[in-house]
Amino acid sequence: MSKILKVSLIGAEFFARHGYYPQEQILGNRFVVDIDAQFSASVNMATDEIANTLNYEQLHNIATEQMQLTKQLLETVAHGIADEIMRRFPYILQLSVCVKKLHPPLKGQVGASAVTVIINNAN
């Protein structure tokens, strides 16, 4: 019997300077990142060892590193986070990274704009 585990990081908040327009990069904005990573649990989880799972602290560290790299597009930010997670943890079967820009500067009240990247590595 194979077991699939999903480790999630939900609602990680960041201040960053991503934006297409120069003013967005000057002023900055609040962003929220959600990450879901699924992988095969090939070891006995009863051992209660962090080495047997995907450490969500490491996922947060990757998101933090990538959020500090100013980009114009949310798509580029989300891809950067996803690519780095897959580079460090190639055993992930499916990965979803959602980056939300809170209250984007639009003509009207908008709670957030968002981009989600989904990588399916299960073959």
Side-chain angles (χ1 to χ4, degrees), residues 14-117:
F14 301 92
F15 177 84
R17 299 185 183 279
H18 306 303
Y20 182 76
Y21 299 104
Q23 191 70 5
E24 291 180 280
Q25 293 184 6
I26 293 168
L27 295 176
N29 205 341
R30 301 292 308 164
F31 295 82
V32 174
V33 176
D34 297 326
I35 300 170
D36 286 317
Q38 296 181 27
F39 60 98
S40 177
S42 58
V43 296
N44 181 0
M45 291 308 296
T47 61
D48 202 28
E49 297 289 331
I50 198 164
N52 294 337
T53 189
L54 182 57
N55 183 341
Y56 57 80
E57 181 180 15
Q58 292 174 331
L59 296 178
H60 187 268
N61 290 343
I62 292 169
T64 300
E65 292 165 8
Q66 293 295 314
M67 290 301 290
Q68 292 173 357
L69 304 173
T70 300
K71 303 290 182 188
Q72 289 186 331
L73 303 177
L74 289 182
E75 292 84 346
T76 308
V77 177
H79 273 277
I81 294 169
D83 289 347
E84 185 60 20
I85 290 171
M86 291 305 297
R87 186 186 73 74
R88 294 191 199 179
F89 308 105
Y91 56 85
I92 291 174
L93 300 174
Q94 185 169 34
L95 176 68
S96 173
V97 174
C98 179
V99 178
K100 300 173 194 142
K101 178 186 277 190
L102 301 181
H103 308 291
L106 299 171
K107 293 179 183 177
Q109 186 66 21
V110 176
S113 57
V115 170
T116 301
V117 173

